[in-house]
């Protein structure tokens, strides 16, 4: 089955359950088909583009005025819906027992099997839309014999509307593994994943930790869990708005802020150590599910790192309050 048909069937099935946004795959393909028709171009412009190896002029209103704005709007809607629903699900999972009971009385999902299914659906939704976006941009570049599709992908990554950059995808993958492990420990029957979903796993490759997730269509997501500042497995992980993951204290150090003030106090001009993007600290997301997973999977390392970080945090807090007292008293 061609991906376009598979995607349309998947989205139709999902829309019957809930109203959710998606990529207008068929509509975007129709826009691109218009660029294949040479008869819509004046002969002089067509001959110039043939000479330079282009199927469509740079001024083409069909492509630049319709295709990219349409795709960008759809990507914003997909990422916005995904982030909002993933955040709600994870907040429910980490909520107190009282809040979970209230949710149950309201008729919303709160039991393990329901949470796992909803988490799988969200990861599946993110990955299949990522495949759809990748394929339509690849088709754009093939038709136009250009690299504008890849350039657009780089642009949306800077705009932070690339769904694979979402910190909530990483959190959902960790959440999925955590719930499976909890089920195994309790002896419950594991829910089988949906047909498109290949499952998530926590692996070590050449001594480096990764979160891995795959869609049966062919896409595979591997998230490196090594902090590029301390070069160790991330501890108390935080995801910056650019998508890069660091230890919380390493991120505070990179942002030139004290651990007491936190990342919200970071200057907007401070850059991500990897991609050098600015304004990435204020909206950072604490990865609580990933923290639980790492604590469960790397017990000895986690305990050793916890003791070291506790001592360092106490030292920073002492220096901070000593400075505040001196400033207040004028000594």
């Amino acid at each position: 089955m061609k991906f376009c048909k598979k995607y349309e069937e998947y989205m139709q099935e999902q829309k019957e359950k809930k109203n959710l946004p998606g990529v207008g795959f068929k509509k975007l393909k129709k826009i691109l088909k218009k660029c294949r028709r040479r008869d819509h171009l004046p002969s002089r412009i067509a001959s110039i583009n043939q000479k330079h190896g282009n199927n469509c002029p740079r001024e083409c209103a069909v492509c630049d005025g319709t295709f990219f704005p349409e795709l960008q709007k759809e990507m914003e809607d997909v990422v916005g819906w995904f982030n909002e629903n993933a955040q709600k699900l994870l907040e429910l999972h980490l909520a107190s027992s009282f809040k979970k009971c209230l949710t149950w009385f309201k008729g919303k999902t709160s039991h393990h099997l329901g949470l796992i299914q909803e988490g799988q659906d969200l990861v599946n939704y993110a990955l299949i839309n990522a495949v759809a976006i990748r394929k339509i941009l690849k088709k754009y570049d093939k038709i136009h014999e250009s690299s504008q599709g890849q350039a657009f992908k780089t642009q949306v990554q800077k705009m932070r509307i690339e769904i694979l950059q979402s910190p909530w995808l990483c959190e959902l993958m960790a959440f999925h593994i955590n719930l499976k492990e909890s089920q195994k420990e309790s002896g419950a029957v594991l829910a089988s994943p949906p047909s498109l979903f290949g499952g998530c796993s926590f692996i070590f490759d050449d001594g480096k930790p990764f979160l891995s997730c795959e869609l049966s269509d062919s896409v595979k997501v591997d998230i490196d869990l090594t902090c590029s500042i301390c070069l160790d497995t991330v501890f108390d992980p935080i995801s910056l708005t650019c998508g890069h993951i660091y230890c919380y204290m390493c991120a505070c150090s990179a942002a030139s802020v004290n651990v007491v003030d936190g990342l919200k106090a970071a200057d907007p001009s401070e850059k991500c150590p990897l991609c050098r993007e600015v304004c990435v600290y204020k909206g950072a997301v604490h990865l609580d599910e990933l923290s639980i997973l790492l604590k469960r999977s790397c017990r000895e390392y986690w305990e050793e790192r916890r003791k070291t970080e506790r001592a360092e945090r106490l030292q920073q807090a002492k220096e901070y309050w000593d400075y505040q007292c001196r400033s207040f008293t004028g000594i």
Side-chain angles (χ1 to χ4, degrees):
M1 185 188 295
K2 286 188 176 181
F3 176 79
C4 182
K5 189 175 180 183
K6 183 189 287 187
Y7 179 77
E8 292 294 328
E9 286 181 0
Y10 168 80
M11 291 304 297
Q12 187 62 38
E13 183 183 336
Q14 294 303 309
K15 283 178 181 178
E16 288 174 3
K17 300 177 186 176
K18 58 189 93 170
N19 188 24
L20 74 173
V23 177
F25 208 83
K26 276 188 176 179
K27 184 167 65 174
L28 292 170
K29 282 180 76 176
K30 283 179 182 177
I31 293 172
L32 292 180
K33 277 182 181 179
K34 293 179 183 178
C35 298
R36 288 179 170 177
R37 298 173 188 160
R38 291 302 187 90
D39 55 355
H40 82 288
L41 297 174
S43 58
R44 187 174 62 84
I45 296 176
S47 63
I48 291 171
N49 283 289
Q50 277 183 327
K51 182 179 178 181
H52 293 282
N54 298 321
N55 288 338
C56 195
R58 290 182 182 178
E59 301 83 11
C60 178
V62 173
C63 297
D64 300 334
T66 308
F67 179 84
F68 288 126
E70 187 75 29
L71 181 57
Q72 182 178 321
K73 175 66 170 61
E74 289 170 350
M75 289 177 74
E76 287 171 354
D77 291 342
V78 166
V79 172
W81 187 91
F82 172 78
N83 286 345
E84 182 184 347
N85 284 272
Q87 189 173 358
K88 283 180 183 176
L89 177 68
L90 294 167
E91 283 175 354
L92 174 60
H93 180 233
L94 297 172
S96 63
S97 299
F98 177 71
K99 189 174 180 180
K100 285 181 179 178
C101 284
L102 283 178
T103 307
W104 183 77
F105 279 120
K106 288 177 183 177
K108 295 180 181 179
T109 302
S110 63
H111 56 84
H112 267 16
L113 290 176
L115 289 173
I116 285 182
Q117 185 62 54
E118 197 169 339
Q120 285 176 346
D121 288 345
L122 282 168
V123 174
N124 203 40
Y125 172 79
L127 295 184
I128 200 166
N129 276 287
V131 175
I133 292 162
R134 184 187 67 180
K135 284 185 178 290
I136 201 69
L137 288 175
K138 195 173 179 182
K139 192 170 189 68
Y140 178 96
D141 282 345
K142 184 179 179 181
I143 289 172
H144 292 78
E145 297 177 1
S146 72
S147 58
Q148 289 184 57
Q150 289 304 310
F152 174 77
K153 191 174 181 181
T154 303
Q155 180 187 337
V156 296
Q157 285 173 348
K158 288 182 179 179
M159 294 168 65
R160 292 150 201 169
I161 55 172
E162 163 63 72
I163 198 162
L164 296 182
Q165 280 183 302
S166 172
W168 299 109
L169 178 60
C170 175
E171 274 287 82
L172 276 175
M173 289 164 67
F175 158 82
H176 176 74
I177 298 167
N178 286 335
L179 277 186
K180 281 203 305 182
E181 291 301 316
S182 297
Q183 278 192 311
K184 283 181 184 177
E185 289 170 7
S186 64
V189 179
L190 294 174
S192 58
S195 58
L196 287 171
F197 186 71
C200 301
S201 57
F202 175 71
I203 58 172
F204 278 91
D205 188 6
D206 290 332
K208 290 185 176 183
F210 287 88
L211 266 183
S212 182
C213 186
E214 55 186 303
L215 197 66
S216 59
D217 182 72
S218 70
V219 72
K220 185 177 181 183
V221 178
D222 288 322
I223 300 175
D224 189 354
L225 300 179
T226 301
C227 174
S228 59
I229 298 175
C230 66
L231 303 179
D232 216 333
T233 301
V234 287
F235 179 85
D236 193 15
I238 197 99
S239 175
L240 306 186
T241 55
C242 58
H244 292 117
I245 299 172
Y246 300 98
C247 306
Y248 180 73
M249 290 199 66
C250 290
C252 286
S253 175
S256 305
V257 295
N258 189 288
V259 70
V260 179
D261 290 326
L263 293 174
K264 288 184 179 179
D267 191 280
S269 62
E270 294 292 344
K271 299 177 181 178
C272 168
L274 273 177
C275 64
R276 310 307 295 166
E277 282 287 309
V278 296
C279 303
V280 292
Y281 290 99
K282 197 170 182 180
V285 175
H286 224 118
L287 303 178
D288 295 318
E289 288 287 349
L290 179 58
S291 189
I292 293 168
L293 173 62
L294 291 169
K295 183 180 179 180
R296 187 199 299 261
S297 305
C298 315
R299 293 183 186 275
E300 290 183 11
Y301 163 76
W302 196 260
E303 187 59 32
E304 183 183 341
R305 186 77 184 264
R306 186 185 67 82
K307 290 177 182 176
T308 306
E309 294 242 340
R310 185 166 179 251
E312 194 173 338
R313 287 189 187 216
L314 286 171
Q315 180 63 31
Q316 281 198 31
K318 182 177 181 300
E319 290 173 1
Y320 175 84
W321 290 114
D322 282 349
Y323 173 77
Q324 293 296 327
C325 288
R326 286 196 301 272
S327 298
F328 181 75
T329 57
I331 299 174

